[in-house]
Amino acid sequence: MRGDEPTWVRVVVLRPGTCGIRIRWWSGGRILGDRRSFDVATDLRVPVGPVAIEISDLRRDDDPDRLATARGSVTTRAGWRSELTVHLQPGAIVSGRVRRGDLAPARFAEVAALLPDGRTVTTRTDGRGEYLLSGLPGGLVRVGAQRRGLTSIQQPVHAVAGRACWAELDLVLPVVPAPVLAPATLGGAVRGRVVDQDGEVLPLAVVEVRDARGTVLTRGRADRRGEFLVGGHLPAGSGLTVAVHSGPDRIVVDRREVRGVGARPGHVTDLGQVVVTRSPRPAAPHRHPRTPARGMRLPSIRV
């Protein structure tokens, strides 16, 4: 058997009904691929060694029929064809209502649930202040909400697969800083705050993380406060470059690159304030003033 032969893994996903799935696979803490499929069996080309595979339902997080995410692993050898069978089962459902301090429903508040495997899923309440998160794994889930500077205490919920749990959340004025939900632990992440040279916030700025060869590893945007958190799957190393482009509020796009950024699995690298300075603009070419058009006299016609 030659050592240059490709190594494959056939992933067989058994699930009730028919639904689209998302397949992600990684090795050594680094994401290798991301694919969407509607088939029962999918062939993945993988490197030699241990490979972790994650299967998730493509339906929305507020779809009550959404199945729980499942993970598996396989150890491959050069030139071998391995097979991994994954069963997707109905997940737990956490639903409830978010209220303001005056007991009125908190419309369109952001609800975040921290799962036992370290992932975070988010949704928003509807016009009645109600929300629903489906396809969750069983176990202890922490649920919290925030809206316009108000935050709720994270409420622990014991999620059971195939069952619906109710969690009532009340928004109150924050007495202490809101607890930060743990990021995904598959890789590193980068956070920071984008401002211009005058200290003004640059909302919706585009943030890209590139490797030493210039390949874009991840991309995201800053929020209305200029804060960003991108990554969650960045490889370990110290040669990353974070490129920041000013958002749509500026007529001319300004850029800033931060080089030599390090990342390690399960760690968030804080860049602090990223100052995007205005780039020097070339002088506009000189234009001669237009000569006013001379008046024209049309010949009169006598009738």
Side-chain angles (χ1 to χ4, degrees), residues 186-255:
L186 299 183
V190 178
R191 68 184 304 172
R193 186 168 180 264
V194 185
V195 298
D196 62 9
Q197 59 189 11
D198 298 327
E200 295 184 3
V201 172
L202 294 181
L204 304 181
V206 179
V207 181
E208 294 180 347
V209 181
R210 305 169 183 166
D211 59 11
R213 295 178 296 180
T215 303
V216 177
L217 300 179
T218 186
R219 180 185 289 111
R221 278 189 181 273
D223 58 16
R224 295 288 180 180
R225 301 185 298 271
E227 300 176 356
F228 63 88
L229 175 61
V230 296
H233 58 273
L234 299 177
S238 58
L240 302 179
T241 299
V242 178
V244 181
H245 301 175
S246 58
D249 62 326
R250 300 300 171 99
I251 299 178
V252 180
V253 177
D254 295 304
R255 299 175 177 84

Short mmCIF file of all heavy atoms in Angstrom, two decimals, residues 186-255:
data_model
loop_
_atom_site.label_atom_id
_atom_site.label_comp_id
_atom_site.label_asym_id
_atom_site.label_seq_id
_atom_site.Cartn_x
_atom_site.Cartn_y
_atom_site.Cartn_z
N LEU A 186 -13.20 24.60 20.59
CA LEU A 186 -12.53 23.90 19.50
C LEU A 186 -11.23 24.57 19.09
O LEU A 186 -10.36 23.93 18.50
CB LEU A 186 -13.47 23.83 18.27
CG LEU A 186 -14.78 23.08 18.49
CD1 LEU A 186 -15.56 23.02 17.19
CD2 LEU A 186 -14.51 21.68 19.00
N GLY A 187 -11.08 25.84 19.34
CA GLY A 187 -9.87 26.56 18.94
C GLY A 187 -9.81 27.90 19.62
O GLY A 187 -10.54 28.18 20.57
N GLY A 188 -8.94 28.78 19.12
CA GLY A 188 -8.78 30.10 19.70
C GLY A 188 -9.75 31.10 19.10
O GLY A 188 -10.38 30.86 18.07
N ALA A 189 -9.86 32.26 19.74
CA ALA A 189 -10.72 33.34 19.28
C ALA A 189 -10.02 34.66 19.56
O ALA A 189 -9.07 34.73 20.36
CB ALA A 189 -12.10 33.29 19.95
N VAL A 190 -10.49 35.72 18.90
CA VAL A 190 -9.90 37.05 19.04
C VAL A 190 -11.03 38.03 19.31
O VAL A 190 -12.09 37.97 18.66
CB VAL A 190 -9.13 37.47 17.77
CG1 VAL A 190 -8.58 38.87 17.92
CG2 VAL A 190 -8.01 36.50 17.48
N ARG A 191 -10.81 38.92 20.27
CA ARG A 191 -11.80 39.94 20.57
C ARG A 191 -11.11 41.30 20.65
O ARG A 191 -9.89 41.41 20.75
CB ARG A 191 -12.50 39.63 21.90
CG ARG A 191 -11.62 39.74 23.12
CD ARG A 191 -12.34 39.34 24.39
NE ARG A 191 -13.55 40.11 24.58
CZ ARG A 191 -14.44 39.86 25.53
NH1 ARG A 191 -14.26 38.83 26.36
NH2 ARG A 191 -15.51 40.61 25.67
N GLY A 192 -11.91 42.36 20.62
CA GLY A 192 -11.36 43.71 20.69
C GLY A 192 -12.46 44.74 20.47
O GLY A 192 -13.65 44.43 20.41
N ARG A 193 -12.04 45.99 20.35
CA ARG A 193 -12.97 47.11 20.15
C ARG A 193 -12.36 48.04 19.11
O ARG A 193 -11.19 48.43 19.23
CB ARG A 193 -13.21 47.85 21.47
CG ARG A 193 -14.26 48.94 21.42
CD ARG A 193 -14.61 49.39 22.83
NE ARG A 193 -15.61 50.43 22.86
CZ ARG A 193 -15.33 51.74 22.94
NH1 ARG A 193 -14.06 52.14 23.01
NH2 ARG A 193 -16.30 52.64 22.97
N VAL A 194 -13.14 48.41 18.10
CA VAL A 194 -12.64 49.19 16.97
C VAL A 194 -13.02 50.65 17.16
O VAL A 194 -14.20 50.98 17.34
CB VAL A 194 -13.21 48.66 15.63
CG1 VAL A 194 -12.58 49.41 14.46
CG2 VAL A 194 -12.96 47.17 15.50
N VAL A 195 -12.02 51.54 17.13
CA VAL A 195 -12.24 52.98 17.21
C VAL A 195 -11.39 53.65 16.15
O VAL A 195 -10.46 53.06 15.59
CB VAL A 195 -11.88 53.53 18.61
CG1 VAL A 195 -12.75 52.92 19.68
CG2 VAL A 195 -10.40 53.27 18.93
N ASP A 196 -11.72 54.93 15.86
CA ASP A 196 -10.89 55.69 14.93
C ASP A 196 -9.86 56.49 15.71
O ASP A 196 -9.74 56.38 16.94
CB ASP A 196 -11.74 56.58 14.03
CG ASP A 196 -12.52 57.63 14.83
OD1 ASP A 196 -12.27 57.77 16.04
OD2 ASP A 196 -13.39 58.31 14.25
N GLN A 197 -9.08 57.32 15.00
CA GLN A 197 -7.99 58.04 15.65
C GLN A 197 -8.48 59.12 16.61
O GLN A 197 -7.71 59.60 17.45
CB GLN A 197 -7.11 58.69 14.57
CG GLN A 197 -7.86 59.66 13.67
CD GLN A 197 -7.01 60.10 12.50
OE1 GLN A 197 -5.96 59.54 12.24
NE2 GLN A 197 -7.48 61.11 11.77
N ASP A 198 -9.76 59.46 16.53
CA ASP A 198 -10.34 60.42 17.47
C ASP A 198 -11.02 59.73 18.65
O ASP A 198 -11.63 60.41 19.49
CB ASP A 198 -11.35 61.32 16.74
CG ASP A 198 -10.69 62.14 15.63
OD1 ASP A 198 -9.52 62.51 15.81
OD2 ASP A 198 -11.34 62.37 14.60
N GLY A 199 -10.94 58.39 18.71
CA GLY A 199 -11.55 57.65 19.79
C GLY A 199 -13.02 57.34 19.60
O GLY A 199 -13.65 56.79 20.50
N GLU A 200 -13.57 57.65 18.41
CA GLU A 200 -14.98 57.36 18.16
C GLU A 200 -15.13 55.90 17.74
O GLU A 200 -14.30 55.34 17.03
CB GLU A 200 -15.53 58.27 17.06
CG GLU A 200 -15.55 59.74 17.45
CD GLU A 200 -16.20 60.59 16.36
OE1 GLU A 200 -16.66 59.99 15.36
OE2 GLU A 200 -16.23 61.82 16.50
N VAL A 201 -16.22 55.29 18.19
CA VAL A 201 -16.48 53.89 17.89
C VAL A 201 -16.80 53.71 16.41
O VAL A 201 -17.48 54.55 15.81
CB VAL A 201 -17.66 53.37 18.75
CG1 VAL A 201 -18.08 51.97 18.33
CG2 VAL A 201 -17.27 53.39 20.21
N LEU A 202 -16.28 52.63 15.82
CA LEU A 202 -16.58 52.29 14.43
C LEU A 202 -17.53 51.09 14.42
O LEU A 202 -17.09 49.94 14.49
CB LEU A 202 -15.30 51.98 13.65
CG LEU A 202 -14.32 53.13 13.45
CD1 LEU A 202 -13.12 52.68 12.65
CD2 LEU A 202 -15.01 54.29 12.76
N PRO A 203 -18.84 51.31 14.35
CA PRO A 203 -19.76 50.18 14.37
C PRO A 203 -19.74 49.41 13.07
O PRO A 203 -19.44 49.97 12.00
CB PRO A 203 -21.12 50.86 14.60
CG PRO A 203 -20.95 52.22 14.01
CD PRO A 203 -19.52 52.61 14.25
N LEU A 204 -20.02 48.11 13.14
CA LEU A 204 -20.15 47.23 11.98
C LEU A 204 -18.87 47.16 11.16
O LEU A 204 -18.91 46.91 9.96
CB LEU A 204 -21.32 47.68 11.09
CG LEU A 204 -22.68 47.79 11.78
CD1 LEU A 204 -23.74 48.22 10.78
CD2 LEU A 204 -23.06 46.46 12.41
N ALA A 205 -17.72 47.37 11.81
CA ALA A 205 -16.45 47.23 11.10
C ALA A 205 -16.22 45.75 10.76
O ALA A 205 -16.59 44.85 11.50
CB ALA A 205 -15.30 47.75 11.95
N VAL A 206 -15.62 45.50 9.60
CA VAL A 206 -15.34 44.14 9.14
C VAL A 206 -14.01 43.69 9.73
O VAL A 206 -13.00 44.40 9.64
CB VAL A 206 -15.29 44.07 7.60
CG1 VAL A 206 -14.97 42.65 7.14
CG2 VAL A 206 -16.61 44.53 7.02
N VAL A 207 -13.98 42.50 10.35
CA VAL A 207 -12.79 41.96 11.00
C VAL A 207 -12.46 40.62 10.33
O VAL A 207 -13.32 39.74 10.24
CB VAL A 207 -13.00 41.76 12.51
CG1 VAL A 207 -11.73 41.22 13.16
CG2 VAL A 207 -13.42 43.07 13.16
N GLU A 208 -11.21 40.49 9.85
CA GLU A 208 -10.74 39.25 9.23
C GLU A 208 -9.50 38.76 9.96
O GLU A 208 -8.65 39.57 10.36
CB GLU A 208 -10.41 39.46 7.76
CG GLU A 208 -11.58 39.79 6.88
CD GLU A 208 -11.18 39.99 5.42
OE1 GLU A 208 -9.97 40.10 5.15
OE2 GLU A 208 -12.08 40.02 4.55
N VAL A 209 -9.40 37.46 10.14
CA VAL A 209 -8.21 36.83 10.73
C VAL A 209 -7.57 35.98 9.64
O VAL A 209 -8.22 35.11 9.06
CB VAL A 209 -8.56 35.97 11.95
CG1 VAL A 209 -7.30 35.35 12.55
CG2 VAL A 209 -9.28 36.81 13.00
N ARG A 210 -6.29 36.25 9.36
CA ARG A 210 -5.58 35.54 8.31
C ARG A 210 -4.35 34.83 8.89
O ARG A 210 -3.80 35.25 9.91
CB ARG A 210 -5.12 36.52 7.22
CG ARG A 210 -6.26 37.35 6.62
CD ARG A 210 -5.72 38.46 5.76
NE ARG A 210 -6.79 39.32 5.24
CZ ARG A 210 -6.58 40.50 4.67
NH1 ARG A 210 -5.34 40.96 4.56
NH2 ARG A 210 -7.60 41.21 4.23
N ASP A 211 -3.95 33.76 8.21
CA ASP A 211 -2.75 33.05 8.64
C ASP A 211 -1.52 33.67 7.98
O ASP A 211 -1.61 34.71 7.31
CB ASP A 211 -2.86 31.56 8.33
CG ASP A 211 -3.05 31.29 6.84
OD1 ASP A 211 -2.88 32.22 6.03
OD2 ASP A 211 -3.35 30.13 6.47
N ALA A 212 -0.35 33.03 8.16
CA ALA A 212 0.89 33.60 7.64
C ALA A 212 0.91 33.68 6.12
O ALA A 212 1.63 34.50 5.54
CB ALA A 212 2.08 32.77 8.14
N ARG A 213 0.13 32.84 5.44
CA ARG A 213 0.08 32.87 3.98
C ARG A 213 -0.98 33.81 3.44
O ARG A 213 -1.15 33.92 2.23
CB ARG A 213 -0.18 31.46 3.46
CG ARG A 213 0.93 30.46 3.77
CD ARG A 213 0.58 29.08 3.27
NE ARG A 213 -0.59 28.55 3.98
CZ ARG A 213 -1.12 27.36 3.75
NH1 ARG A 213 -0.59 26.58 2.82
NH2 ARG A 213 -2.16 26.96 4.43
N GLY A 214 -1.71 34.49 4.31
CA GLY A 214 -2.73 35.43 3.89
C GLY A 214 -4.10 34.81 3.69
O GLY A 214 -5.03 35.50 3.26
N THR A 215 -4.26 33.53 4.02
CA THR A 215 -5.55 32.87 3.88
C THR A 215 -6.49 33.34 4.99
O THR A 215 -6.12 33.36 6.16
CB THR A 215 -5.39 31.35 3.94
OG1 THR A 215 -4.48 30.93 2.91
CG2 THR A 215 -6.72 30.65 3.72
N VAL A 216 -7.72 33.70 4.62
CA VAL A 216 -8.70 34.16 5.60
C VAL A 216 -9.24 32.96 6.37
O VAL A 216 -9.84 32.05 5.79
CB VAL A 216 -9.85 34.92 4.91
CG1 VAL A 216 -10.91 35.33 5.93
CG2 VAL A 216 -9.32 36.15 4.19
N LEU A 217 -9.01 32.93 7.68
CA LEU A 217 -9.47 31.83 8.53
C LEU A 217 -10.89 32.07 9.03
O LEU A 217 -11.66 31.13 9.17
CB LEU A 217 -8.53 31.65 9.71
CG LEU A 217 -7.07 31.33 9.37
CD1 LEU A 217 -6.24 31.22 10.64
CD2 LEU A 217 -6.97 30.06 8.55
N THR A 218 -11.23 33.30 9.33
CA THR A 218 -12.57 33.63 9.79
C THR A 218 -12.83 35.09 9.54
O THR A 218 -11.89 35.89 9.36
CB THR A 218 -12.73 33.30 11.30
OG1 THR A 218 -14.10 33.50 11.68
CG2 THR A 218 -11.84 34.18 12.15
N ARG A 219 -14.09 35.45 9.52
CA ARG A 219 -14.49 36.83 9.23
C ARG A 219 -15.73 37.15 10.07
O ARG A 219 -16.58 36.30 10.30
CB ARG A 219 -14.79 37.01 7.75
CG ARG A 219 -15.22 38.43 7.36
CD ARG A 219 -15.61 38.51 5.89
NE ARG A 219 -14.46 38.40 5.01
CZ ARG A 219 -14.23 37.37 4.22
NH1 ARG A 219 -15.06 36.33 4.22
NH2 ARG A 219 -13.17 37.34 3.44
N GLY A 220 -15.82 38.40 10.52
CA GLY A 220 -16.97 38.81 11.31
C GLY A 220 -17.10 40.32 11.29
O GLY A 220 -16.35 41.03 10.61
N ARG A 221 -18.08 40.83 12.04
CA ARG A 221 -18.31 42.27 12.14
C ARG A 221 -18.37 42.70 13.59
O ARG A 221 -18.77 41.91 14.46
CB ARG A 221 -19.62 42.67 11.45
CG ARG A 221 -19.53 42.83 9.95
CD ARG A 221 -20.81 43.42 9.39
NE ARG A 221 -20.78 43.58 7.96
CZ ARG A 221 -20.30 44.65 7.33
NH1 ARG A 221 -19.83 45.66 8.04
NH2 ARG A 221 -20.32 44.72 6.02
N ALA A 222 -17.98 43.92 13.83
CA ALA A 222 -18.15 44.50 15.16
C ALA A 222 -19.62 44.86 15.36
O ALA A 222 -20.36 45.06 14.39
CB ALA A 222 -17.27 45.74 15.31
N ASP A 223 -20.05 44.95 16.62
CA ASP A 223 -21.43 45.31 16.90
C ASP A 223 -21.57 46.82 16.95
O ASP A 223 -20.66 47.56 16.56
CB ASP A 223 -21.89 44.66 18.20
CG ASP A 223 -21.01 45.05 19.39
OD1 ASP A 223 -20.26 46.03 19.28
OD2 ASP A 223 -21.09 44.38 20.43
N ARG A 224 -22.72 47.28 17.43
CA ARG A 224 -22.97 48.73 17.47
C ARG A 224 -22.02 49.45 18.41
O ARG A 224 -21.82 50.66 18.27
CB ARG A 224 -24.42 48.97 17.91
CG ARG A 224 -25.46 48.46 16.91
CD ARG A 224 -25.49 49.32 15.67
NE ARG A 224 -26.48 48.83 14.71
CZ ARG A 224 -26.70 49.41 13.53
NH1 ARG A 224 -26.00 50.47 13.19
NH2 ARG A 224 -27.61 48.92 12.72
N ARG A 225 -21.45 48.73 19.37
CA ARG A 225 -20.49 49.34 20.30
C ARG A 225 -19.06 49.22 19.81
O ARG A 225 -18.14 49.58 20.54
CB ARG A 225 -20.63 48.69 21.68
CG ARG A 225 -22.00 48.81 22.30
CD ARG A 225 -22.02 48.25 23.71
NE ARG A 225 -21.71 46.83 23.71
CZ ARG A 225 -22.61 45.87 23.59
NH1 ARG A 225 -23.88 46.19 23.45
NH2 ARG A 225 -22.26 44.60 23.59
N GLY A 226 -18.87 48.70 18.60
CA GLY A 226 -17.54 48.54 18.05
C GLY A 226 -16.81 47.32 18.56
O GLY A 226 -15.64 47.12 18.23
N GLU A 227 -17.47 46.48 19.35
CA GLU A 227 -16.83 45.30 19.93
C GLU A 227 -17.01 44.09 19.01
O GLU A 227 -18.06 43.94 18.37
CB GLU A 227 -17.39 45.01 21.31
CG GLU A 227 -17.18 46.15 22.30
CD GLU A 227 -17.83 45.88 23.64
OE1 GLU A 227 -18.51 44.84 23.76
OE2 GLU A 227 -17.67 46.71 24.56
N PHE A 228 -16.00 43.22 18.95
CA PHE A 228 -16.08 42.04 18.12
C PHE A 228 -15.48 40.84 18.85
O PHE A 228 -14.63 40.98 19.72
CB PHE A 228 -15.34 42.26 16.78
CG PHE A 228 -13.86 42.49 16.91
CD1 PHE A 228 -12.96 41.42 16.94
CD2 PHE A 228 -13.35 43.77 17.01
CE1 PHE A 228 -11.60 41.63 17.05
CE2 PHE A 228 -11.97 43.99 17.12
CZ PHE A 228 -11.10 42.92 17.15
N LEU A 229 -15.96 39.67 18.49
CA LEU A 229 -15.44 38.39 18.97
C LEU A 229 -15.56 37.42 17.81
O LEU A 229 -16.66 37.00 17.45
CB LEU A 229 -16.22 37.89 20.18
CG LEU A 229 -15.84 36.49 20.70
CD1 LEU A 229 -14.39 36.46 21.14
CD2 LEU A 229 -16.75 36.07 21.84
N VAL A 230 -14.43 37.08 17.20
CA VAL A 230 -14.43 36.20 16.03
C VAL A 230 -13.53 35.01 16.32
O VAL A 230 -12.59 35.08 17.10
CB VAL A 230 -13.95 36.94 14.76
CG1 VAL A 230 -14.89 38.05 14.38
CG2 VAL A 230 -12.54 37.50 14.97
N GLY A 231 -13.82 33.91 15.63
CA GLY A 231 -12.99 32.71 15.78
C GLY A 231 -13.74 31.62 16.49
O GLY A 231 -14.91 31.35 16.19
N GLY A 232 -13.07 30.97 17.42
CA GLY A 232 -13.59 29.80 18.07
C GLY A 232 -13.02 28.52 17.49
O GLY A 232 -13.19 27.45 18.04
N HIS A 233 -12.30 28.65 16.36
CA HIS A 233 -11.68 27.49 15.74
C HIS A 233 -10.30 27.83 15.19
O HIS A 233 -9.79 27.14 14.32
CB HIS A 233 -12.57 26.99 14.59
CG HIS A 233 -12.85 28.03 13.54
ND1 HIS A 233 -13.90 28.91 13.63
CD2 HIS A 233 -12.19 28.33 12.41
CE1 HIS A 233 -13.89 29.71 12.58
NE2 HIS A 233 -12.87 29.37 11.82
N LEU A 234 -9.69 28.91 15.70
CA LEU A 234 -8.39 29.34 15.18
C LEU A 234 -7.30 28.38 15.64
O LEU A 234 -7.30 27.91 16.78
CB LEU A 234 -8.06 30.76 15.66
CG LEU A 234 -9.04 31.85 15.22
CD1 LEU A 234 -8.63 33.18 15.81
CD2 LEU A 234 -9.09 31.93 13.71
N PRO A 235 -6.34 28.07 14.76
CA PRO A 235 -5.26 27.16 15.15
C PRO A 235 -4.28 27.82 16.10
O PRO A 235 -4.18 29.05 16.16
CB PRO A 235 -4.59 26.83 13.80
CG PRO A 235 -4.85 28.03 12.96
CD PRO A 235 -6.22 28.53 13.36
N ALA A 236 -3.57 26.99 16.85
CA ALA A 236 -2.58 27.51 17.78
C ALA A 236 -1.39 28.06 17.00
O ALA A 236 -0.95 27.49 16.01
CB ALA A 236 -2.12 26.42 18.74
N GLY A 237 -0.88 29.21 17.42
CA GLY A 237 0.25 29.83 16.76
C GLY A 237 0.34 31.30 17.11
O GLY A 237 -0.50 31.84 17.83
N SER A 238 1.38 31.96 16.59
CA SER A 238 1.59 33.37 16.91
C SER A 238 1.78 34.22 15.66
O SER A 238 2.20 35.35 15.76
CB SER A 238 2.82 33.53 17.82
OG SER A 238 3.98 33.00 17.17
N GLY A 239 1.50 33.68 14.48
CA GLY A 239 1.72 34.42 13.25
C GLY A 239 0.45 34.86 12.56
O GLY A 239 0.44 35.04 11.33
N LEU A 240 -0.63 35.06 13.30
CA LEU A 240 -1.88 35.47 12.70
C LEU A 240 -1.93 36.98 12.50
O LEU A 240 -1.26 37.75 13.21
CB LEU A 240 -3.07 35.04 13.57
CG LEU A 240 -3.18 33.54 13.86
CD1 LEU A 240 -4.39 33.27 14.74
CD2 LEU A 240 -3.26 32.74 12.57
N THR A 241 -2.71 37.41 11.53
CA THR A 241 -2.91 38.83 11.24
C THR A 241 -4.39 39.15 11.32
O THR A 241 -5.21 38.45 10.71
CB THR A 241 -2.38 39.19 9.84
OG1 THR A 241 -0.98 38.92 9.78
CG2 THR A 241 -2.62 40.66 9.54
N VAL A 242 -4.73 40.19 12.07
CA VAL A 242 -6.11 40.64 12.19
C VAL A 242 -6.24 41.93 11.37
O VAL A 242 -5.60 42.94 11.67
CB VAL A 242 -6.50 40.90 13.66
CG1 VAL A 242 -7.92 41.42 13.76
CG2 VAL A 242 -6.33 39.62 14.48
N ALA A 243 -7.05 41.87 10.30
CA ALA A 243 -7.28 43.02 9.43
C ALA A 243 -8.66 43.60 9.73
O ALA A 243 -9.65 42.87 9.77
CB ALA A 243 -7.19 42.60 7.97
N VAL A 244 -8.71 44.91 9.96
CA VAL A 244 -9.94 45.60 10.31
C VAL A 244 -10.23 46.65 9.25
O VAL A 244 -9.37 47.47 8.93
CB VAL A 244 -9.85 46.25 11.71
CG1 VAL A 244 -11.16 46.95 12.06
CG2 VAL A 244 -9.49 45.22 12.76
N HIS A 245 -11.45 46.61 8.69
CA HIS A 245 -11.89 47.60 7.72
C HIS A 245 -13.05 48.37 8.32
O HIS A 245 -13.95 47.78 8.93
CB HIS A 245 -12.36 46.92 6.42
CG HIS A 245 -11.30 46.11 5.76
ND1 HIS A 245 -11.54 45.34 4.65
CD2 HIS A 245 -10.00 45.93 6.04
CE1 HIS A 245 -10.43 44.73 4.28
NE2 HIS A 245 -9.49 45.07 5.12
N SER A 246 -13.06 49.69 8.16
CA SER A 246 -14.13 50.50 8.71
C SER A 246 -15.46 50.12 8.08
O SER A 246 -15.52 49.62 6.95
CB SER A 246 -13.84 51.99 8.48
OG SER A 246 -13.67 52.25 7.10
N GLY A 247 -16.55 50.36 8.82
CA GLY A 247 -17.86 49.90 8.41
C GLY A 247 -18.56 50.83 7.44
O GLY A 247 -17.97 51.79 6.90
N PRO A 248 -19.86 50.60 7.22
CA PRO A 248 -20.60 51.37 6.22
C PRO A 248 -20.91 52.81 6.61
O PRO A 248 -21.50 53.53 5.81
CB PRO A 248 -21.90 50.56 6.07
CG PRO A 248 -22.06 49.85 7.38
CD PRO A 248 -20.67 49.55 7.84
N ASP A 249 -20.54 53.21 7.85
CA ASP A 249 -20.82 54.58 8.24
C ASP A 249 -19.78 55.56 7.71
O ASP A 249 -19.92 56.76 7.88
CB ASP A 249 -20.88 54.70 9.77
CG ASP A 249 -19.55 54.32 10.42
OD1 ASP A 249 -18.88 53.43 9.88
OD2 ASP A 249 -19.20 54.94 11.43
N ARG A 250 -18.71 55.05 7.10
CA ARG A 250 -17.67 55.91 6.56
C ARG A 250 -17.72 55.87 5.03
O ARG A 250 -17.91 54.81 4.42
CB ARG A 250 -16.28 55.44 7.03
CG ARG A 250 -16.14 55.47 8.56
CD ARG A 250 -16.35 56.88 9.09
NE ARG A 250 -16.44 56.92 10.54
CZ ARG A 250 -15.41 57.25 11.33
NH1 ARG A 250 -14.25 57.54 10.80
NH2 ARG A 250 -15.58 57.29 12.63
N ILE A 251 -17.55 57.03 4.41
CA ILE A 251 -17.59 57.11 2.95
C ILE A 251 -16.39 56.41 2.35
O ILE A 251 -16.49 55.66 1.38
CB ILE A 251 -17.65 58.59 2.50
CG1 ILE A 251 -18.92 59.26 3.05
CG2 ILE A 251 -17.58 58.70 0.99
CD1 ILE A 251 -19.03 60.71 2.70
N VAL A 252 -15.21 56.63 2.95
CA VAL A 252 -13.97 56.02 2.47
C VAL A 252 -13.58 54.91 3.44
O VAL A 252 -13.61 55.09 4.66
CB VAL A 252 -12.84 57.06 2.36
CG1 VAL A 252 -11.56 56.41 1.85
CG2 VAL A 252 -13.26 58.18 1.42
N VAL A 253 -13.24 53.73 2.92
CA VAL A 253 -12.88 52.59 3.75
C VAL A 253 -11.45 52.75 4.27
O VAL A 253 -10.51 52.92 3.48
CB VAL A 253 -13.01 51.28 2.96
CG1 VAL A 253 -12.58 50.09 3.81
CG2 VAL A 253 -14.44 51.10 2.48
N ASP A 254 -11.28 52.75 5.59
CA ASP A 254 -9.96 52.78 6.23
C ASP A 254 -9.62 51.39 6.72
O ASP A 254 -10.49 50.62 7.12
CB ASP A 254 -9.96 53.77 7.40
CG ASP A 254 -10.18 55.20 6.93
OD1 ASP A 254 -9.40 55.66 6.07
OD2 ASP A 254 -11.12 55.85 7.41
N ARG A 255 -8.32 51.06 6.71
CA ARG A 255 -7.87 49.72 7.08
C ARG A 255 -6.79 49.80 8.14
O ARG A 255 -6.05 50.77 8.24
CB ARG A 255 -7.33 48.98 5.84
CG ARG A 255 -8.36 48.78 4.74
CD ARG A 255 -7.71 48.15 3.49
NE ARG A 255 -8.67 47.87 2.45
CZ ARG A 255 -9.08 48.76 1.56
NH1 ARG A 255 -8.60 49.98 1.59
NH2 ARG A 255 -9.97 48.43 0.65
#
